[in-house]
Amino acid sequence: MSPAVLDESLTRVVGTRTANALEKLGLTTSGDLVRHYPRRYGRPGELSEIGQLRVGDHVTVVADVEQATVRPMRNRGGALLEAVVTDGRDRLRLTFFAKRAGALRPHEDRLRAGRRGLFTGTVGEYRGARQLTHPEYALIGADADEDEMLADAAKPIPIYPAGQGVPTWRIARAVRTVLDPLTAADAPDPIPDDVIAEHSLPSLLEALRLVHAPETDEDWQRGRERLRFEEAFVLQSALARRRAARAAMTSVARLGAVGASGADGGLVSALDARLPFALTDGQRAVGEAIASDLARPTPMMRLLQGDVGAGKTVVALRAMLQVVDSGGQAALLAPTEVLAAQHERTILSLLGPLAEAGMLGGSDVGTRVALLTGSLGAAARKKALLQAASGEAGIVVGTHALLTETVQFADLGLVVVDEQHRFGVEQRDALRVRGESPPHMLVMTATPIPRTVAMTVFGDLETSVLSERPAHRAETVTHVVPADNEAWMRRVWSRVREEVDAGRRVYVVCPRIDGDAGSTPSDAEAAGIDPLADAKPDVPLASVMETAEALRAEPSLAGVRVGVMHGRMTPDAKDAAMAAFASGETPVLVSTTVIEVGVDVREASTMVVLDAERFGISQLHQLRGRVGRGGMPGLCLLVTHAEAESVAQERLEALAETEDGFALAEKDVELRREGDVLGAAQSGGRNSLRLLRVVRDADVIAQARADAERVVAEDPELSGHPALAAAIDAWLGEEREEFLERG
Ligand code: ADP
Ligand code: MG
């Protein structure tokens, strides 16, 4: 056989019927099938807990048959087979219908009392009892067909992510059909022999056998461990190759006005002289790192992380000016048109006359800034395109669409991408292909990226962090308040009163606008959190309207005026509400998360968040950032119905513990599903990370990274490692595909 065995279509291998069923699970080739790992392992010796089954779940249970009887149906005609299976404590009913009793006899024969089997179906309810209707089942040690997979009652039973109509044992049988005849040559191993030997890992073929046909629990654990390492290793090899390839590329070195040094009559020093503030140490340090990257003839690829307000814009602007000083151009890309326009305004005001080259009163070292977005009129667009193509505009500001459009630059030396943390390798490539000498690149994000995620997803980038905030901010103390505790709640409102009496302002944030359930999408949903996971269904969510009414009637707030704000108000009404709050006319503002970004009221000292468990960590972190801005300490009260020990409670406690955005981001990745954090391309792909979890497996990733570095350094083309090269291509191909799907 040849390596192409795993590329073979399943139709040829397992037949059309099974292949069609497997296709619904996204499995079309033999390779897809053997990479469809069991989700868990059942034990024939251990019964499922029937008491734990929930109505609506699609389940596979291991249980013993207690009885099975066929009887005619009185009202409808036809016949009914009712079987009862048990785990020794709870019972589950199995129901089969047929036109004639005879059709049910074979089931009755097989479902003999005392037999143990696997039963698959969707849990339903009939007269208060749980049941499976027409379940698929396999009896242990009874069916010749299934005997192969269930032969030895001591072996763990692989239980696969199955679908309606494809029970796990059918998948198991198909897997074995493919797997059993495979030879090592059919499954070339992407992990090089020396790495396998060094870590005493099973080969790919062995690992596949261990996970699909384990004899013991240790078997599948060892198999999974190796496959997990493989995922990390392939990914890290891809990233190592990118780093190596980049190191071999040449970009134009952008030295700035007079090399990388001091006062020089260039735009960078002209800007520094104009700035209304002194750069922080962090901004200087990051600025120097970027300046020396730009001055090198290899393309910079740097990720700059810094919380909102950390002052990334001015760092980016100085980098762009260094390139302009060197005779090149820079592009600044924002995620939305609104943000692009805002960037243009900010840059124009920071540059002042420096952005008016060739205009009356413009500086003679100056340049021009062009804005290029989809909503420009034809004339303005043409002008901007011309300015970019001629080189007249040193800085071109636009949305990410600038990447894919055929915008011509005279000499594009630097691309800055703002506020983008789901920036796939593929998009990074899109930039690199323009022109033979790729531009330098700076990616900026306000969402802190934990080290392990950075290593996994951005492993081909250098990273810098702006950790201090330029505007001095006082500490904000955060407490979690149980909503059920009346004494505490009274204290919350009396505390609000004290703040108001001291001349300060208080935000009260609610997850809903009015009591009308479903009137607004839950913010937690938007934040990728399953809102049902931790909610008490019987407690209605706090709404802006009802809460405002309640506070107006709250004895401890007597005489305090309460304002409201939410997304359904007109822009003018919102402005008015904000103004009344800022001036102190309504010192308490009940609001939705519309205040989350950009709102800056210096007197605001206190933030009360109701139903805080409904919000995500980063959202609460942003909300909390609204208070404590005026130099006085802030107070944040997270009021919650979350149960003790729940994930929601853990999220809130993490917030109470720290104000460090990075620590919170780590916690966030830990508590959320990976996909929410990494985006589809990096986590959920068909061929990519199935077993690897970026936070939990940090050690595996670090080890794989070291191994990958070495392998790629010794053989940059991977000509001695064709299987690894193929695995990398498959992974990149998938990213490309998903990028295209999203675009
Ligand atoms: P972000 O990192 O969120 O993009 P910005 O670049 O928008 O932050 O900066 C936030 C605010 O801080 C801006 O008003 C900016 O002018 C100001 N700022 C930036 N650097 C400093 C500094 N060194 N000292 C004082 N204010 C600064
Ligand atoms: Mg910004």
Side-chain angles (χ1 to χ4, degrees), residues 629-648:
R629 299 173 83 84
M632 60 203 151
L635 174 67
C636 175
L637 301 174
L638 303 174
V639 178
T640 179
H641 289 281
E643 313 265 3
E645 319 258 306
S646 64
V647 171

Side-chain angles (χ1 to χ4, degrees), residues 275-281 283 304-315 342-343 346 350 418-419 444-446 466 469-472 629:
L275 283 179
F277 45 74
L279 294 174
T280 63
D281 291 345
Q283 284 170 321
L304 173 56
Q305 306 184 57
D307 219 337
V308 174
K312 296 185 290 295
T313 314
V314 70
V315 171
Q342 193 175 304
H343 270 315
T346 305
L350 284 169
D418 192 27
E419 300 298 355
M444 305 198 293
T445 172
L466 276 182
R469 299 269 192 90
H472 176 71
R629 299 173 83 84

Side-chain angles (χ1 to χ4, degrees), residues 661-686:
F662 282 88
L664 288 172
E666 289 270 4
K667 195 77 195 168
D668 210 10
V669 186
E670 229 173 85
L671 297 179
R672 292 164 71 173
R673 293 184 311 267
E674 307 274 310
D676 299 332
V677 180
L678 296 183
Q682 286 87 9
S683 72
R686 286 180 290 280

